[in-house]
mmCIF file of all heavy atoms in Angstrom:
data_model
loop_
_atom_site.group_PDB
_atom_site.id
_atom_site.type_symbol
_atom_site.label_atom_id
_atom_site.label_comp_id
_atom_site.label_asym_id
_atom_site.label_seq_id
_atom_site.Cartn_x
_atom_site.Cartn_y
_atom_site.Cartn_z
ATOM 1 N N PHE H 1 -86.801 -30.424 218.336
ATOM 2 C CA PHE H 1 -85.481 -30.716 217.785
ATOM 3 C C PHE H 1 -85.561 -31.862 216.785
ATOM 4 O O PHE H 1 -86.427 -32.729 216.845
ATOM 5 C CB PHE H 1 -84.456 -31.014 218.885
ATOM 6 C CG PHE H 1 -84.976 -31.761 220.075
ATOM 7 C CD1 PHE H 1 -85.170 -33.133 220.033
ATOM 8 C CD2 PHE H 1 -85.251 -31.084 221.255
ATOM 9 C CE1 PHE H 1 -85.633 -33.820 221.140
ATOM 10 C CE2 PHE H 1 -85.722 -31.777 222.369
ATOM 11 C CZ PHE H 1 -85.917 -33.133 222.307
ATOM 12 N N TRP H 2 -84.611 -31.816 215.825
ATOM 13 C CA TRP H 2 -84.542 -32.853 214.798
ATOM 14 C C TRP H 2 -84.258 -34.211 215.431
ATOM 15 O O TRP H 2 -83.444 -34.321 216.351
ATOM 16 C CB TRP H 2 -83.422 -32.563 213.807
ATOM 17 C CG TRP H 2 -83.525 -31.341 212.947
ATOM 18 C CD1 TRP H 2 -82.600 -30.331 212.836
ATOM 19 C CD2 TRP H 2 -84.573 -31.010 212.017
ATOM 20 N NE1 TRP H 2 -83.015 -29.393 211.922
ATOM 21 C CE2 TRP H 2 -84.227 -29.777 211.400
ATOM 22 C CE3 TRP H 2 -85.779 -31.621 211.657
ATOM 23 C CZ2 TRP H 2 -85.034 -29.164 210.446
ATOM 24 C CZ3 TRP H 2 -86.582 -31.004 210.715
ATOM 25 C CH2 TRP H 2 -86.210 -29.802 210.121
ATOM 26 N N VAL H 3 -84.911 -35.247 214.905
ATOM 27 C CA VAL H 3 -84.612 -36.636 215.254
ATOM 28 C C VAL H 3 -84.522 -37.437 213.954
ATOM 29 O O VAL H 3 -84.765 -36.909 212.868
ATOM 30 C CB VAL H 3 -85.671 -37.228 216.205
ATOM 31 C CG1 VAL H 3 -85.528 -36.627 217.602
ATOM 32 C CG2 VAL H 3 -87.082 -37.006 215.679
ATOM 33 N N GLY H 4 -84.176 -38.709 214.055
ATOM 34 C CA GLY H 4 -83.727 -39.460 212.881
ATOM 35 C C GLY H 4 -84.800 -40.120 212.035
ATOM 36 O O GLY H 4 -84.646 -41.290 211.650
ATOM 37 N N TYR H 5 -85.867 -39.391 211.721
ATOM 38 C CA TYR H 5 -86.914 -39.924 210.844
ATOM 39 C C TYR H 5 -87.198 -38.936 209.717
ATOM 40 O O TYR H 5 -86.961 -37.733 209.861
ATOM 41 C CB TYR H 5 -88.220 -40.149 211.617
ATOM 42 C CG TYR H 5 -88.109 -41.098 212.787
ATOM 43 C CD1 TYR H 5 -87.895 -40.616 214.076
ATOM 44 C CD2 TYR H 5 -88.241 -42.474 212.610
ATOM 45 C CE1 TYR H 5 -87.804 -41.474 215.146
ATOM 46 C CE2 TYR H 5 -88.160 -43.346 213.686
ATOM 47 C CZ TYR H 5 -87.939 -42.840 214.949
ATOM 48 O OH TYR H 5 -87.848 -43.697 216.017
ATOM 49 N N GLN H 6 -87.757 -39.456 208.613
ATOM 50 C CA GLN H 6 -88.208 -38.615 207.502
ATOM 51 C C GLN H 6 -89.600 -39.066 207.063
ATOM 52 O O GLN H 6 -89.923 -40.261 207.103
ATOM 53 C CB GLN H 6 -87.234 -38.695 206.323
ATOM 54 C CG GLN H 6 -85.904 -38.019 206.607
ATOM 55 C CD GLN H 6 -84.941 -38.146 205.453
ATOM 56 O OE1 GLN H 6 -85.012 -39.089 204.673
ATOM 57 N NE2 GLN H 6 -84.030 -37.190 205.334
ATOM 58 N N PHE H 7 -90.416 -38.092 206.668
ATOM 59 C CA PHE H 7 -91.769 -38.373 206.200
ATOM 60 C C PHE H 7 -91.787 -38.261 204.681
ATOM 61 O O PHE H 7 -91.504 -37.192 204.122
ATOM 62 C CB PHE H 7 -92.772 -37.385 206.811
ATOM 63 C CG PHE H 7 -94.208 -37.737 206.552
ATOM 64 C CD1 PHE H 7 -94.849 -38.705 207.323
ATOM 65 C CD2 PHE H 7 -94.916 -37.115 205.535
ATOM 66 C CE1 PHE H 7 -96.172 -39.041 207.084
ATOM 67 C CE2 PHE H 7 -96.252 -37.436 205.290
ATOM 68 C CZ PHE H 7 -96.883 -38.410 206.074
ATOM 69 N N VAL H 8 -92.079 -39.375 204.008
ATOM 70 C CA VAL H 8 -92.093 -39.423 202.547
ATOM 71 C C VAL H 8 -93.527 -39.188 202.078
ATOM 72 O O VAL H 8 -94.437 -39.963 202.403
ATOM 73 C CB VAL H 8 -91.580 -40.779 202.037
ATOM 74 C CG1 VAL H 8 -91.611 -40.812 200.499
ATOM 75 C CG2 VAL H 8 -90.162 -41.026 202.551
ATOM 76 N N ILE H 9 -93.742 -38.114 201.306
ATOM 77 C CA ILE H 9 -95.073 -37.767 200.814
ATOM 78 C C ILE H 9 -95.378 -38.596 199.566
ATOM 79 O O ILE H 9 -94.601 -38.612 198.610
ATOM 80 C CB ILE H 9 -95.164 -36.266 200.497
ATOM 81 C CG1 ILE H 9 -94.935 -35.440 201.771
ATOM 82 C CG2 ILE H 9 -96.530 -35.915 199.896
ATOM 83 C CD1 ILE H 9 -94.863 -33.948 201.534
ATOM 84 N N THR H 10 -96.504 -39.299 199.594
ATOM 85 C CA THR H 10 -96.898 -40.140 198.454
ATOM 86 C C THR H 10 -98.073 -39.559 197.682
ATOM 87 O O THR H 10 -98.325 -39.960 196.549
ATOM 88 C CB THR H 10 -97.260 -41.555 198.945
ATOM 89 O OG1 THR H 10 -98.287 -41.467 199.942
ATOM 90 C CG2 THR H 10 -96.034 -42.238 199.541
ATOM 91 N N SER H 11 -98.812 -38.624 198.292
ATOM 92 C CA SER H 11 -99.961 -38.039 197.611
ATOM 93 C C SER H 11 -100.221 -36.646 198.158
ATOM 94 O O SER H 11 -100.083 -36.391 199.353
ATOM 95 C CB SER H 11 -101.208 -38.913 197.802
ATOM 96 O OG SER H 11 -102.364 -38.283 197.276
ATOM 97 N N ARG H 12 -100.607 -35.719 197.259
ATOM 98 C CA ARG H 12 -100.942 -34.353 197.664
ATOM 99 C C ARG H 12 -102.376 -34.023 197.239
ATOM 100 O O ARG H 12 -102.653 -32.942 196.756
ATOM 101 C CB ARG H 12 -99.961 -33.349 197.038
ATOM 102 C CG ARG H 12 -98.590 -33.354 197.663
ATOM 103 C CD ARG H 12 -97.713 -32.313 197.003
ATOM 104 N NE ARG H 12 -96.402 -32.221 197.621
ATOM 105 C CZ ARG H 12 -96.081 -31.427 198.621
ATOM 106 N NH1 ARG H 12 -97.006 -30.646 199.154
ATOM 107 N NH2 ARG H 12 -94.858 -31.395 199.109
ATOM 108 N N ASN H 13 -103.274 -34.962 197.407
ATOM 109 C CA ASN H 13 -104.669 -34.722 197.040
ATOM 110 C C ASN H 13 -105.321 -33.767 198.032
ATOM 111 O O ASN H 13 -104.798 -32.708 198.317
ATOM 112 C CB ASN H 13 -105.426 -36.054 196.943
ATOM 113 C CG ASN H 13 -104.926 -36.877 195.765
ATOM 114 O OD1 ASN H 13 -104.452 -36.324 194.783
ATOM 115 N ND2 ASN H 13 -105.020 -38.188 195.879
ATOM 116 N N HIS H 14 -106.455 -34.114 198.569
ATOM 117 C CA HIS H 14 -107.151 -33.228 199.503
ATOM 118 C C HIS H 14 -106.360 -33.042 200.796
ATOM 119 O O HIS H 14 -106.448 -32.008 201.447
ATOM 120 C CB HIS H 14 -108.543 -33.788 199.797
ATOM 121 C CG HIS H 14 -109.393 -33.891 198.574
ATOM 122 N ND1 HIS H 14 -109.828 -32.784 197.863
ATOM 123 C CD2 HIS H 14 -109.866 -34.972 197.892
ATOM 124 C CE1 HIS H 14 -110.542 -33.175 196.820
ATOM 125 N NE2 HIS H 14 -110.581 -34.505 196.817
ATOM 126 N N SER H 15 -105.603 -34.052 201.166
ATOM 127 C CA SER H 15 -104.735 -33.947 202.335
ATOM 128 C C SER H 15 -103.427 -34.665 202.030
ATOM 129 O O SER H 15 -103.384 -35.558 201.173
ATOM 130 C CB SER H 15 -105.407 -34.574 203.570
ATOM 131 O OG SER H 15 -105.638 -35.946 203.344
ATOM 132 N N LEU H 16 -102.382 -34.250 202.707
ATOM 133 C CA LEU H 16 -101.077 -34.877 202.479
ATOM 134 C C LEU H 16 -101.087 -36.305 203.006
ATOM 135 O O LEU H 16 -101.501 -36.564 204.135
ATOM 136 C CB LEU H 16 -99.981 -34.079 203.178
ATOM 137 C CG LEU H 16 -99.642 -32.711 202.580
ATOM 138 C CD1 LEU H 16 -98.611 -31.998 203.431
ATOM 139 C CD2 LEU H 16 -99.133 -32.857 201.148
ATOM 140 N N GLU H 17 -100.612 -37.230 202.176
ATOM 141 C CA GLU H 17 -100.511 -38.620 202.580
ATOM 142 C C GLU H 17 -99.069 -39.071 202.409
ATOM 143 O O GLU H 17 -98.357 -38.621 201.514
ATOM 144 C CB GLU H 17 -101.444 -39.496 201.745
ATOM 145 C CG GLU H 17 -102.923 -39.174 201.918
ATOM 146 C CD GLU H 17 -103.810 -40.020 201.027
ATOM 147 O OE1 GLU H 17 -103.263 -40.879 200.303
ATOM 148 O OE2 GLU H 17 -105.038 -39.822 201.057
ATOM 149 N N GLY H 18 -98.657 -39.972 203.260
ATOM 150 C CA GLY H 18 -97.295 -40.475 203.185
ATOM 151 C C GLY H 18 -97.005 -41.421 204.330
ATOM 152 O O GLY H 18 -97.909 -41.913 205.002
ATOM 153 N N HIS H 19 -95.740 -41.671 204.551
ATOM 154 C CA HIS H 19 -95.347 -42.586 205.635
ATOM 155 C C HIS H 19 -93.975 -42.198 206.168
ATOM 156 O O HIS H 19 -93.172 -41.571 205.481
ATOM 157 C CB HIS H 19 -95.324 -44.037 205.126
ATOM 158 C CG HIS H 19 -94.352 -44.248 203.992
ATOM 159 N ND1 HIS H 19 -94.711 -44.075 202.662
ATOM 160 C CD2 HIS H 19 -93.031 -44.597 203.965
ATOM 161 C CE1 HIS H 19 -93.673 -44.317 201.882
ATOM 162 N NE2 HIS H 19 -92.639 -44.631 202.655
ATOM 163 N N TRP H 20 -93.732 -42.590 207.409
ATOM 164 C CA TRP H 20 -92.447 -42.345 208.055
ATOM 165 C C TRP H 20 -91.434 -43.416 207.654
ATOM 166 O O TRP H 20 -91.783 -44.582 207.472
ATOM 167 C CB TRP H 20 -92.578 -42.364 209.569
ATOM 168 C CG TRP H 20 -93.255 -41.179 210.184
ATOM 169 C CD1 TRP H 20 -94.497 -41.145 210.752
ATOM 170 C CD2 TRP H 20 -92.713 -39.858 210.321
ATOM 171 N NE1 TRP H 20 -94.775 -39.879 211.224
ATOM 172 C CE2 TRP H 20 -93.693 -39.065 210.976
ATOM 173 C CE3 TRP H 20 -91.509 -39.264 209.946
ATOM 174 C CZ2 TRP H 20 -93.502 -37.730 211.280
ATOM 175 C CZ3 TRP H 20 -91.319 -37.923 210.242
ATOM 176 C CH2 TRP H 20 -92.290 -37.176 210.893
ATOM 177 N N GLU H 21 -90.182 -43.007 207.544
ATOM 178 C CA GLU H 21 -89.069 -43.929 207.341
ATOM 179 C C GLU H 21 -87.927 -43.526 208.260
ATOM 180 O O GLU H 21 -87.826 -42.363 208.670
ATOM 181 C CB GLU H 21 -88.565 -43.897 205.888
ATOM 182 C CG GLU H 21 -89.553 -44.429 204.876
ATOM 183 C CD GLU H 21 -88.986 -44.413 203.461
ATOM 184 O OE1 GLU H 21 -87.835 -43.900 203.288
ATOM 185 O OE2 GLU H 21 -89.670 -44.905 202.540
ATOM 186 N N VAL H 22 -87.074 -44.497 208.581
ATOM 187 C CA VAL H 22 -85.849 -44.177 209.312
ATOM 188 C C VAL H 22 -84.908 -43.478 208.352
ATOM 189 O O VAL H 22 -84.760 -43.890 207.192
ATOM 190 C CB VAL H 22 -85.205 -45.455 209.891
ATOM 191 C CG1 VAL H 22 -83.873 -45.137 210.549
ATOM 192 C CG2 VAL H 22 -86.148 -46.100 210.893
ATOM 193 N N ALA H 23 -84.260 -42.419 208.812
ATOM 194 C CA ALA H 23 -83.529 -41.541 207.900
ATOM 195 C C ALA H 23 -82.183 -42.098 207.451
ATOM 196 O O ALA H 23 -81.609 -41.597 206.497
ATOM 197 C CB ALA H 23 -83.321 -40.179 208.556
ATOM 198 N N TYR H 24 -81.666 -43.116 208.118
ATOM 199 C CA TYR H 24 -80.355 -43.618 207.737
ATOM 200 C C TYR H 24 -80.332 -45.133 207.894
ATOM 201 O O TYR H 24 -81.060 -45.711 208.701
ATOM 202 C CB TYR H 24 -79.249 -42.992 208.606
ATOM 203 C CG TYR H 24 -79.456 -43.181 210.086
ATOM 204 C CD1 TYR H 24 -78.896 -44.258 210.761
ATOM 205 C CD2 TYR H 24 -80.232 -42.286 210.816
ATOM 206 C CE1 TYR H 24 -79.112 -44.445 212.107
ATOM 207 C CE2 TYR H 24 -80.447 -42.465 212.167
ATOM 208 C CZ TYR H 24 -79.882 -43.544 212.800
ATOM 209 O OH TYR H 24 -80.104 -43.732 214.143
ATOM 210 N N LYS H 25 -79.504 -45.771 207.111
ATOM 211 C CA LYS H 25 -79.413 -47.226 207.157
ATOM 212 C C LYS H 25 -78.731 -47.675 208.448
ATOM 213 O O LYS H 25 -77.932 -46.962 209.028
ATOM 214 C CB LYS H 25 -78.630 -47.739 205.954
ATOM 215 C CG LYS H 25 -79.327 -47.472 204.622
ATOM 216 C CD LYS H 25 -78.499 -47.996 203.452
ATOM 217 C CE LYS H 25 -79.204 -47.726 202.135
ATOM 218 N NZ LYS H 25 -78.416 -48.220 200.972
ATOM 219 N N GLY H 26 -79.049 -48.868 208.858
ATOM 220 C CA GLY H 26 -78.430 -49.410 210.065
ATOM 221 C C GLY H 26 -79.304 -49.299 211.285
ATOM 222 O O GLY H 26 -78.973 -49.855 212.323
ATOM 223 N N SER H 27 -80.413 -48.575 211.189
ATOM 224 C CA SER H 27 -81.326 -48.467 212.323
ATOM 225 C C SER H 27 -82.362 -49.581 212.231
ATOM 226 O O SER H 27 -83.267 -49.522 211.410
ATOM 227 C CB SER H 27 -82.030 -47.113 212.332
ATOM 228 O OG SER H 27 -81.106 -46.087 212.539
ATOM 229 N N SER H 28 -82.197 -50.586 213.028
ATOM 230 C CA SER H 28 -83.141 -51.693 213.030
ATOM 231 C C SER H 28 -83.929 -51.680 214.336
ATOM 232 O O SER H 28 -83.502 -51.111 215.339
ATOM 233 C CB SER H 28 -82.407 -53.029 212.877
ATOM 234 O OG SER H 28 -81.480 -53.197 213.927
ATOM 235 N N GLU H 29 -85.074 -52.315 214.315
ATOM 236 C CA GLU H 29 -85.901 -52.456 215.503
ATOM 237 C C GLU H 29 -86.231 -51.102 216.140
ATOM 238 O O GLU H 29 -86.091 -50.918 217.337
ATOM 239 C CB GLU H 29 -85.208 -53.364 216.542
ATOM 240 C CG GLU H 29 -84.975 -54.778 216.025
ATOM 241 C CD GLU H 29 -84.327 -55.652 217.070
ATOM 242 O OE1 GLU H 29 -84.135 -55.181 218.210
ATOM 243 O OE2 GLU H 29 -84.014 -56.807 216.756
ATOM 244 N N VAL H 30 -86.653 -50.161 215.315
ATOM 245 C CA VAL H 30 -87.101 -48.873 215.840
ATOM 246 C C VAL H 30 -88.586 -48.739 215.561
ATOM 247 O O VAL H 30 -89.107 -49.317 214.599
ATOM 248 C CB VAL H 30 -86.340 -47.685 215.215
ATOM 249 C CG1 VAL H 30 -84.854 -47.806 215.463
ATOM 250 C CG2 VAL H 30 -86.625 -47.585 213.732
ATOM 251 N N PHE H 31 -89.288 -47.993 216.412
ATOM 252 C CA PHE H 31 -90.695 -47.735 216.109
ATOM 253 C C PHE H 31 -90.800 -46.451 215.300
ATOM 254 O O PHE H 31 -89.937 -45.583 215.351
ATOM 255 C CB PHE H 31 -91.544 -47.682 217.389
ATOM 256 C CG PHE H 31 -91.349 -46.453 218.239
ATOM 257 C CD1 PHE H 31 -91.860 -45.223 217.846
ATOM 258 C CD2 PHE H 31 -90.695 -46.530 219.458
ATOM 259 C CE1 PHE H 31 -91.701 -44.099 218.639
ATOM 260 C CE2 PHE H 31 -90.532 -45.412 220.255
ATOM 261 C CZ PHE H 31 -91.037 -44.191 219.838
ATOM 262 N N LEU H 32 -91.869 -46.343 214.522
ATOM 263 C CA LEU H 32 -92.091 -45.172 213.678
ATOM 264 C C LEU H 32 -93.134 -44.274 214.327
ATOM 265 O O LEU H 32 -94.065 -44.756 214.974
ATOM 266 C CB LEU H 32 -92.547 -45.606 212.281
ATOM 267 C CG LEU H 32 -91.535 -46.445 211.490
ATOM 268 C CD1 LEU H 32 -92.135 -46.877 210.166
ATOM 269 C CD2 LEU H 32 -90.243 -45.663 211.255
#
């Protein structure tokens, strides 16, 4: 099921690279 994170892709070279972000503002002190 969907939860409140998004994965931002920064590179599409040999493998996908990127990082997780919280999907909406106001979410503080959460782990990624």
Side-chain angles (χ1 to χ4, degrees):
F1 36 79
W2 295 125
V3 288
Y5 301 95
Q6 290 178 333
F7 189 80
V8 180
I9 298 174
T10 56
S11 173
R12 286 181 177 270
N13 292 332
H14 299 294
S15 62
L16 289 176
E17 297 177 2
H19 60 271
W20 287 109
E21 293 182 356
V22 175
Y24 55 93
K25 295 180 180 180
S27 295
S28 59
E29 298 181 4
V30 301
F31 72 73
L32 297 177

